Amino acid sequence: MKRNLYLKTKPVEEALAEYMEALETAGVLQPQIEWLDTYEALGRQTAGPVFAKCCSPLFNAAAMDGIAVRAAATKGASESRPLTLKLGEDYKIVDTGDPVKAPFDAVIMAEDIIEMDDETVQILASVPGWNHVRSIGEDIVAGEMILQTGHRIRPVDLGVLLASGNLQVPVYKKPQVAIIPTGTEIIQPKDEPQEGDIIDSNSGMFAGQVTEAGGVPNRLPIVEDDYEKIKKVILEVLETNDMVLINAGSSAGTEDYTVHILREIGQVLVHGVAMKPGKPVILAIVSGKPVIGLPGYPVSAYLAFENFVTPVLRRLSGDMVSASAEPKNLVKAVISRRMVSSLKHREYVRVKVGKVGEKLVAAPLARGAGAAMSLVRADGFCIIPQNCEGYEAGETVEVELYKDLKEIENTVVSIGSHDMIMDVISDMMAAEYRNMYLSSTHVGSMGGLMALQRGETTIAPTHLLNEADGRYNEAILKQLFGPGRIALIKGVDRIQGIMVKKGNPLGIRGVEDLTRVRYVNRQRGAGTRVLLDYKLKQAGIRPEDIDGYDKEAATHMAVAALVASEEIDAGMGIKPAADAMGLDFIEVGVEAYDFAIDRQNLQLPQVQAFLEILRSPEFHEKLAELGGYGWHQAGNIIMIE
Amino acid sequence: MKRNLYLKTKPVEEALAEYMEALETAGVLQPQIEWLDTYEALGRQTAGPVFAKCCSPLFNAAAMDGIAVRAAATKGASESRPLTLKLGEDYKIVDTGDPVKAPFDAVIMAEDIIEMDDETVQILASVPGWNHVRSIGEDIVAGEMILQTGHRIRPVDLGVLLASGNLQVPVYKKPQVAIIPTGTEIIQPKDEPQEGDIIDSNSGMFAGQVTEAGGVPNRLPIVEDDYEKIKKVILEVLETNDMVLINAGSSAGTEDYTVHILREIGQVLVHGVAMKPGKPVILAIVSGKPVIGLPGYPVSAYLAFENFVTPVLRRLSGDMVSASAEPKNLVKAVISRRMVSSLKHREYVRVKVGKVGEKLVAAPLARGAGAAMSLVRADGFCIIPQNCEGYEAGETVEVELYKDLKEIENTVVSIGSHDMIMDVISDMMAAEYRNMYLSSTHVGSMGGLMALQRGETTIAPTHLLNEADGRYNEAILKQLFGPGRIALIKGVDRIQGIMVKKGNPLGIRGVEDLTRVRYVNRQRGAGTRVLLDYKLKQAGIRPEDIDGYDKEAATHMAVAALVASEEIDAGMGIKPAADAMGLDFIEVGVEAYDFAIDRQNLQLPQVQAFLEILRSPEFHEKLAELGGYGWHQAGNIIMIE
């Protein structure tokens, strides 16, 4: 097995600085210039100063509707001695913008004249020369500088460019960026996947990132893992592109050719960066152009792009302001869970950020490099520096937000148990209560209540069985929080059960049969797991008797997907998840999925919006569509006394 | 003369609310939906929730490069008892992403195995089931909601959409907006203007504004002032557009047909709004679609668009967040000059904003509705409410910024005399010292020194003659500020003179000849005017003997443009301005154009950048190109003691 073991990875800043310096030395960071039709130049940056080619106004013009007169000839007019003027001889009718020419040199407003007949007016006051006349060049003078270098062209600039005779404008050219997906196992999103195939979703993401960084993305067909073929494509696209991205093959696997190819045809400056995710990055220069190898995992790919491709693209596209080390949108937030990190790298942890009371709370999301949804769901990054081993829950950390703080303040933060209705409510909040949002993190019922205890969530969805009386939520809330503090917002009744393959080929009838199948469990603290444990205890079965009791999935849907696969036979969850994956479902019990909340937060506008949705017929219709839910108490509030 | 006198104008909020309500009632604010190829969907907003169509990963896959094994078969392996595994039978080589299938159910990293030969490895530890395996649906589960309604699609979303089988995505359609320029005197920017012609620069600006507000602009050919023709075009474009803008003819002139046409073919809800600039707005509904008549003056046109077209477009394009009354970027600033406004309207005054010491200072720019350059130069608006008569200099006002505060903090604020080198320096700052800026307002030398006295400017460009000794600047600064506070940054020597038409047809030799020509003067407090007054006094000429002594222009270039026109024969100014307009120039004297500054501000980084430029050979080259300048002292600093 030939592997590219990169012995030592470089710190992020060092790697970037080294690369930028090499590019600078090679003279490849100079943006190019093109002349654009002014109408097409919105949002582009001027590549040099722009001067007016003509004046505006082009001539002395009436600034008002009225009559043009000779100022000198109006002398002496007054209320007691009106002056009579004759059309043609003494005045000319003008609308705003009409030229005012010799012998006329002033304008009297329509409101200030008395019409005697069609050819005669009277005026009651004299006017000075140039009265209500916009003189030539009053707005723009030919030859003056109207836009300076590096100015981003706005709508008002378009108006002034056109008014000043600039029909074309020099702007920095957008760099052309080739995106080459490689890998024998990679297929296009439109292709039908065969076993082992991986959909190329990165090219689309990169295309979006290139566009946002000011470039033009050129997506190329997938190239199989073949040294010569990959090399040929790179050399070809270098002829017509300003930059080349190769995905993936930047790692150290048996078929990771990229670094060898780049060493053969160019200069590899960096291979491997001390960041996580995102380590397997290759920074190279080939034929005097930047060529970057990006890792395959979507989160790694995204972060490697933002850290290394974006800075290069900003420079190539002439955007010096964004290219300079701009302070990001940094906020302080309390971290809701312990995060351990290695001293070997800087780690980017995706977090959901919420405002609970007066404090911002950051809840870490899935940390895997493959967890693309964690990027979609995240509100920002918590960056753990290379020299830091992590943070304890409750510590204040710095978060780089990429959502508006306003939006975060209008969000119901939900930490706790998972149910598909949270997505439904979240969508209804966004669609019907614009500017109101619901943000869910799934850590199980107990995890949610702990977060509520620490003041880190607005609501905690929970379905915890009280073993003593077989009832849900209320008793446990009273026990945990005492009386007077908490309210329970009633949610839905839902059916819990065992999901099995279509037709139930193994003939499972209940928890007693789980000892003879391959099971997948939920995480510790999840209400579903509590229910399983309760049922197992009743049936006298020990956890270690179940194959897969230790294999955990984080949501009902994740369990359903695994049960649908070859490797797993059964898992517990809710009926809509089984339905969604076409599985059979053996009912185990009905439980209450409710929301615990601090009473003082009930009046928050976003919580009111949440309550309105719970009570709305539209929501109940959606529950009926999903199936497996009861909603007769939805939106009721029970004070825990 | 038939005029549309709108007797009563409506307050801005009232007019907008009335119009939006009428549009809502007519049911025309509902955004439309289209399905887009996902690759094209960057930046668009989802028109409904989007669900995953497939899982990601699609199968249980290796999370690391290494070997796939049966977890159960690794039991007992340890450093002291290595376990030997055979290829095919006990393990399979896998790269990251390769499927892990029965009978294999775990992966051991390449780093943790010892290669014995090509078909044999040893391991030193056992692994649990599912070790380094990404299970099916671990990232995305088929059926789960991945994007909610109204979500603006980012690069990471594109990746997840493609990975989850969403090749198309429902988004809000961009509304089509027709832009109809009307007016017999209006010509296209590309046409050669004849006398009285006005260049249609508004259509280009509107197109930019439509794009920024989420619509697709459709610019139409210019329609002459003809009732039937305009009506026909409006009715035609309504068939294929979601909204129609008509420019101009919305005012009350003799040829302003728009309101009559709209009354005939639809419903006019508002004609005339109590704002300045921007009063002549028509808000109408025709064939169930919004039709808006916009005023012709560029500043009026811009403000009327922002206040009335943008809110409608935001709603039509589904952008509810921006459509809602979002708080703008408001800052408190000290106003540098008195601003008087009428109780009849809300007034939008364009201001330059600078940070001087710890305070933000807003300097009002030209207030005319035709002053398009004031929009380009402005950093924001100071809005004078309808019920307010204005502000005194030094009062704190609220300014709606449309520039980044960071940029404003990195700016050398210059208030004072005008010279073309200020544009040159400004461009060099922007081009070479990215993130450093120079912002100039021209109020004449004395006005600048008053602003410096009040702490409202960083530098004050000045060229004031001390009549006693015929020298420039130093004596006057000492007299005004006393010793110890001020430093004088030496700028350029420049030649002042009289600009006359090419060939000097009136045979002007000096100021003594100004009594027999049509003159244009500079504003009070301008150094050039001080010089004229000095020279007139020496020559024994009274100001009232000069025709046009009271006609003022604000810059050298504006004077030059007027002298180039038919109506003016002569004006005083600097040589480069005369050269730029192809005028003859009669030298009157050489003066020093310098910069007064508070000493404590000399060390500011932006001032250091300014000084570096003054001293640079590149700047001196540009001065040589312009001609008429001396720079042997440029950048020297003289302390005024």
Side-chain angles (χ1 to χ4, degrees), chain B residues 165-239:
Chain B
N166 287 284
L167 300 177
Q168 296 209 306
V169 59
V171 296
Y172 294 124
K173 209 171 158 182
K174 294 188 176 197
Q176 299 287 324
V177 182
I179 299 166
I180 309 175
T182 71
T184 308
E185 74 285 9
I186 304 296
I187 58 163
Q188 287 201 47
K190 69 175 161 56
D191 296 335
E192 188 61 41
Q194 307 299 316
E195 186 180 283
D197 283 351
I198 294 172
I199 293 172
D200 171 30
S201 57
N202 284 348
S203 288
M205 177 177 73
F206 291 148
Q209 289 180 290
V210 166
T211 304
E212 286 197 343
V216 178
N218 299 312
R219 286 184 297 113
L220 282 130
I222 295 159
V223 186
E224 63 186 282
D225 285 320
D226 178 307
Y227 190 99
E228 289 306 323
K229 283 189 185 159
I230 296 174
K231 183 171 106 181
K232 185 160 166 279
V233 172
I234 295 174
L235 290 172
E236 266 173 26
V237 299
L238 272 167
E239 287 172 23

Side-chain angles (χ1 to χ4, degrees), chain B residues 520-548:
Chain B
V520 56
N521 207 349
R522 289 290 306 282
Q523 79 274 29
R524 243 173 286 269
T528 304
R529 183 156 165 163
V530 171
L531 177 62
L532 174 74
D533 291 347
Y534 176 67
K535 294 284 176 189
L536 289 179
K537 208 162 147 194
Q538 285 186 319
I541 301 170
R542 293 177 313 165
E544 50 270 42
D545 294 335
I546 297 179
D547 176 14

Side-chain angles (χ1 to χ4, degrees), chain A residues 73 102 104 242 250 259 428 458 475 526 542 555 604 616 637:
Chain A
F104 302 124
D242 303 302
S250 62
V259 75
M428 290 181 75
T458 325
R542 293 178 312 166
T555 67
L604 292 176
S616 70
I637 296 170

